[in-house]
Amino acid sequence: MRFFALGPVCVFFLLLWVPACGEKVTSGSVNPCCYLPCQNQGVCVRYAEDKYECDCIRTGFHGENCTVPEFWTRVRLFLRPSPGAVHFILTHFSWIWDIVNSTFMRDFLMRLVLTVRSNFIPSPPTYNSKYSYLSWESYYNVSYYTRLLPPVPEDCPTPLGVRGGAGLPDPELLVEKLFKRKTFRKDPQRCNLMFAFFAQHFTHQFFKTYNRMGPGFTKALGHGVDAGHIYGDSLKRQLQLRLLKDGKLKYQLINGEMYPPTTLEAPVKMNYPPNTPQNQQLAFGHELFGLLPGLGMYGTIWLREHNRVCDILKTLHPHWDDEQLFQTTRFIIIGETIRIVIEEYVQQLSGYHMKLKFDPTMLHNTDFQYGNRIALEFDHLYHWHPLMPDALNIDGDTFTYEQFIFNTSILSHYGIEKLVESFSRQPAGQIGGGYNLHAIVVHVAVKTIEVSRLLRVQPFNEYRKRFNLKPYTSFREFSDDEEIALQLEEFYHGDINALEFYPGLLLEKTRPGAIFGESMVEMGAPFSLKGLLGNPICSPTYWKPSTFGGKVGFDIVNSATLKKLVCLNTKTCPYVAFRVPTQAELEKENRKRKDEL
């Protein structure tokens, strides 16, 4: 976003007016920081009753509200292309990208993407839901989700500071009117259910809100890719799932194939409906993975992969004990996960012609800081339930959600190959643009909005500014759907700056042919890439063959693909991808299968 020097009248009244030079900071009764006056990451410090000061140190701006750019900031802002222009270039001109992807330019641009995106995320972390200022507790207490922007001060008139003063819309009505699906709208980027279930299973290792402590807390103390959804989030759960022999996890054989054990064999706590027989309760690292067979499918695939890698390491290192085999295999699984996420999952999500690359050495000579804290905003942003279709199709059979939920028998009845093939061919829904949330999950959106207000998350436009995006000036600019724009104007009393964070992300107009809008991409990517590359295994200390049991283990990580993950752990190799195949791709796959036969 480009900021320019304010006019003389605005400069004179900067202390009394917000940076837009249009809304007065009321003295006396209202905390002036409630007006969120400090721009460009300036920090608001209150003095006395009605005075404040913006700390502009190292923001590149100065002035009362950190709105006047310094010389080099002006130069940088002038030269920096807009996010929309960058996205357009990355998603067009495929012939140029074919050349770039085969030259040294690929590494150069990938390093640039990683550093620019990751620099949006502060390290060390800053705020949490208790403190709107820097504190040792915010840094040290990893039981909290961190916060990118501080919560709105507690003594403000409204949850948004001073915005929404006439009352925020009822969340149930908001979701019913604008989120709830009318007709299923499939994703134009051709994401499929294999993608949707991957997103759900992968993020459950670090999005684990600890509701007993409060919605600002997390049980996932690893704060990143630690494979806790496979191994559990505590040592006790891990040991209950482990075979304690040859590094392996417990399992059962059904028709000669490996599946997760039941809770009779691995007595972990799982969330199944009351009175579900234990012999029908499959045991996973995550307590919710019995909910959907799509999650159980991925849990089964990773179980098989873990035990397969253990066999390889056991052959290479016959003197290793169970613990070393387990710990080294876990590193390999984490490495495989990150590679698949960056090179295939994020690749599919981005729609870029530039071929993304996972190579931690690209950052080893930079000032990149390792370590990560999961942010509350990232947790809220990733509620992508519009991905789910109206019904699930498996090998020609159709399941309603009532038939699909907690139906663990689907795993063994159809087998992993048929589930993978079916989910790879079925389209997922478009996330952005509104009107595409299935009725069965509308309560999740309602709860997210309620929690956002409880934790005093700043308005959507404040996050737009934080990620160098131009704040919207009207609801018609925000949405290209007239009905959505009019309804939002009514709900938020015509004030675009009162629009809340989560509704903004889900209702924003989508980019042409894209799964969601500009904000979701520009806000989500920095959280994602910082979390992935900030993993300890990517650091210079860890990223070497010995960490992974030698060259063979390192090669497993460096050659991991979604197809290998599935096909090395199934009897036959099904069609597997994160996007629905085109007719040409189907014909190519069929020809390949005929040749193999």
Side-chain angles (χ1 to χ4, degrees):
M1 176 181 178
R2 299 182 181 183
F3 292 90
F4 300 93
L6 301 177
V9 175
C10 284
V11 172
F12 183 77
F13 287 107
L14 268 175
L15 190 61
L16 298 178
W17 296 65
V18 294
C21 196
E23 181 174 348
K24 190 173 181 179
V25 176
T26 307
S27 62
S29 59
V30 177
N31 177 351
C33 291
C34 291
Y35 289 82
L36 308 177
C38 304
Q39 303 298 290
N40 302 300
Q41 300 184 52
V43 178
C44 184
V45 181
R46 185 182 186 185
Y47 291 95
E49 185 70 20
D50 58 354
K51 294 181 180 179
Y52 72 97
E53 179 180 283
C54 291
D55 185 346
C56 307
I57 296 297
R58 285 182 291 278
T59 65
F61 293 80
H62 61 276
E64 296 290 346
N65 287 353
C66 309
T67 53
V68 183
E70 298 168 357
F71 174 75
W72 288 112
T73 302
R74 288 178 183 270
V75 173
R76 188 179 73 252
L77 293 177
F78 178 78
L79 295 175
R80 185 176 66 202
S82 71
V86 172
H87 181 81
F88 182 84
I89 293 169
L90 288 168
T91 54
H92 292 75
F93 316 111
S94 59
W95 64 274
I96 295 178
W97 289 109
D98 288 342
I99 297 172
V100 170
N101 289 333
S102 60
T103 68
F104 72 94
M105 287 296 294
R106 180 191 178 197
D107 284 3
F108 171 79
L109 291 174
M110 189 67 204
R111 185 183 299 109
L112 184 64
V113 167
L114 293 175
T115 52
V116 170
R117 295 288 197 187
S118 297
N119 284 342
F120 278 108
I121 309 303
S123 185
T126 48
Y127 310 102
N128 65 23
S129 292
K130 183 176 181 180
Y131 298 98
S132 59
Y133 49 87
L134 294 184
S135 67
W136 182 254
E137 182 76 3
S138 296
Y139 163 74
Y140 183 77
N141 190 344
V142 295
S143 296
Y144 281 100
Y145 287 118
T146 188
R147 300 275 289 263
L148 190 63
L149 290 182
V152 174
E154 289 185 345
D155 57 351
C156 294
T158 76
L160 299 178
V162 296
R163 300 292 184 178
L168 293 172
D170 176 77
E172 292 187 2
L173 183 62
L174 175 62
V175 171
E176 177 71 24
K177 290 279 189 180
L178 300 180
F179 285 64
K180 191 175 179 180
R181 178 172 296 161
K182 295 181 176 180
T183 302
F184 175 70
R185 189 173 68 250
K186 66 181 181 182
D187 168 37
Q189 286 181 216
R190 293 171 33 219
C191 289
N192 57 23
L193 293 193
M194 200 67 184
F195 175 93
F197 286 124
F198 188 93
Q200 192 174 23
H201 105 280
F202 165 73
T203 58
H204 270 63
Q205 64 190 301
F206 44 78
F207 294 148
K208 298 193 69 174
T209 301
Y210 200 177
N211 287 309
R212 280 190 292 174
M213 291 184 68
F217 291 86
T218 176
K219 290 189 289 184
L221 303 184
H223 281 271
V225 182
D226 61 0
H229 59 321
I230 303 171
Y231 306 114
D233 56 8
S234 68
L235 180 59
K236 178 183 178 181
R237 191 176 184 93
Q238 178 198 120
L239 293 173
Q240 289 172 327
L241 291 166
R242 285 173 59 177
L243 188 62
L244 300 178
K245 181 182 179 182
D246 297 336
K248 293 186 175 183
L249 297 171
K250 292 177 180 177
Y251 62 92
Q252 61 171 316
L253 293 176
I254 301 176
N255 298 324
E257 294 191 292
M258 187 181 298
Y259 287 92
T262 68
T263 54
L264 287 171
E265 301 155 315
V268 295
K269 183 183 181 300
M270 295 293 297
N271 290 344
Y272 286 98
N275 303 320
T276 303
Q278 277 195 285
N279 62 2
Q280 295 178 23
Q281 296 186 29
L282 297 183
F284 296 95
H286 195 289
E287 61 270 20
L288 289 177
F289 272 27
L291 174 67
L292 298 171
L295 299 177
M297 173 194 69
Y298 273 112
T300 301
I301 292 170
W302 284 118
L303 165 67
R304 294 179 182 182
E305 176 67 0
H306 175 95
N307 286 353
R308 185 186 76 86
V309 172
C310 282
D311 285 335
I312 293 172
L313 292 181
K314 177 69 174 177
T315 301
L316 291 170
H317 306 284
H319 59 288
W320 279 10
D321 61 12
D322 168 73
E323 189 67 19
Q324 189 165 4
L325 288 168
F326 172 82
Q327 297 294 347
T328 304
T329 299
R330 183 169 185 168
F331 271 147
I332 292 173
I333 296 299
I334 291 171
E336 288 186 86
T337 299
I338 297 175
R339 179 169 295 278
I340 291 169
V341 169
I342 291 178
E343 295 193 353
E344 297 183 74
Y345 173 82
V346 176
Q347 183 78 61
Q348 166 60 25
L349 199 59
S350 69
Y352 293 165
H353 289 307
M354 187 182 93
K355 193 174 180 181
L356 302 182
K357 182 178 183 180
F358 173 53
D359 181 2
T361 63
M362 290 190 296
L363 297 176
H364 286 179
N365 293 321
T366 70
D367 60 356
F368 186 81
Q369 296 187 18
Y370 295 90
N372 188 56
R373 284 280 294 279
I374 297 298
L376 179 80
E377 296 96 340
F378 192 33
D379 175 52
H380 285 199
L381 174 151
Y382 231 116
H383 284 70
W384 291 356
H385 295 82
L387 284 169
M388 301 310 295
D390 291 333
L392 290 302
N393 301 320
I394 304 174
D395 196 34
D397 297 328
T398 299
F399 290 83
T400 65
Y401 284 99
E402 289 76 14
Q403 296 168 322
F404 193 69
I405 291 173
F406 291 117
N407 190 349
T408 56
S409 66
I410 287 177
L411 284 176
S412 56
H413 176 77
Y414 289 95
I416 298 301
E417 292 96 324
K418 288 183 179 179
L419 290 178
V420 168
E421 180 105 22
S422 298
F423 294 153
S424 293
R425 293 171 183 265
Q426 184 172 358
Q430 187 178 36
I431 296 171
Y435 302 133
N436 209 24
L437 188 64
H438 193 284
I440 200 168
V441 287
V442 294
H443 68 282
V444 179
V446 172
K447 183 66 175 177
T448 304
I449 296 170
E450 291 174 343
V451 167
S452 176
R453 294 177 185 179
L454 177 66
L455 298 181
R456 308 183 77 85
V457 174
Q458 291 194 26
F460 178 63
N461 258 346
E462 294 302 313
Y463 282 96
R464 292 269 303 174
K465 290 185 281 187
R466 176 61 177 79
F467 285 93
N468 292 336
L469 299 171
K470 181 179 178 294
Y472 287 112
T473 58
S474 70
F475 288 107
R476 281 176 172 77
E477 182 189 12
F478 166 79
S479 175
D480 52 12
D481 185 295
E482 184 70 13
E483 184 179 343
I484 289 178
L486 287 172
Q487 189 67 72
L488 287 173
E489 280 190 347
E490 180 182 338
F491 278 145
Y492 291 100
H493 308 283
D495 187 357
I496 185 65
N497 290 308
L499 180 62
E500 298 166 272
F501 177 65
Y502 182 66
L505 289 166
L506 268 289
L507 300 177
E508 182 183 32
K509 61 186 176 186
T510 61
R511 280 170 163 163
I515 191 169
F516 36 49
E518 175 184 65
S519 299
M520 188 78 81
V521 176
E522 302 302 324
M523 296 180 194
F527 286 121
S528 179
L529 293 176
K530 176 62 171 70
L532 293 166
L533 274 298
N535 194 285
I537 72 162
C538 299
S539 68
T541 306
Y542 282 64
W543 187 253
K544 48 192 173 186
S546 57
T547 301
F548 305 94
K551 182 180 183 301
V552 172
F554 205 30
D555 286 345
I556 292 174
V557 172
N558 284 317
S559 63
T561 66
L562 179 67
K563 185 171 184 176
K564 279 188 176 182
L565 175 65
V566 171
C567 294
L568 290 175
N569 292 293
T570 51
K571 291 181 178 179
T572 60
C573 188
Y575 175 79
V576 52
F578 281 140
R579 68 177 186 175
V580 177
T582 62
Q583 187 60 38
E585 288 169 338
L586 284 175
E587 291 173 0
K588 181 180 179 181
E589 185 71 19
N590 290 334
R591 286 196 301 269
K592 184 177 179 182
R593 290 185 182 181
K594 287 180 180 179
D595 292 341
E596 290 174 349
L597 292 175

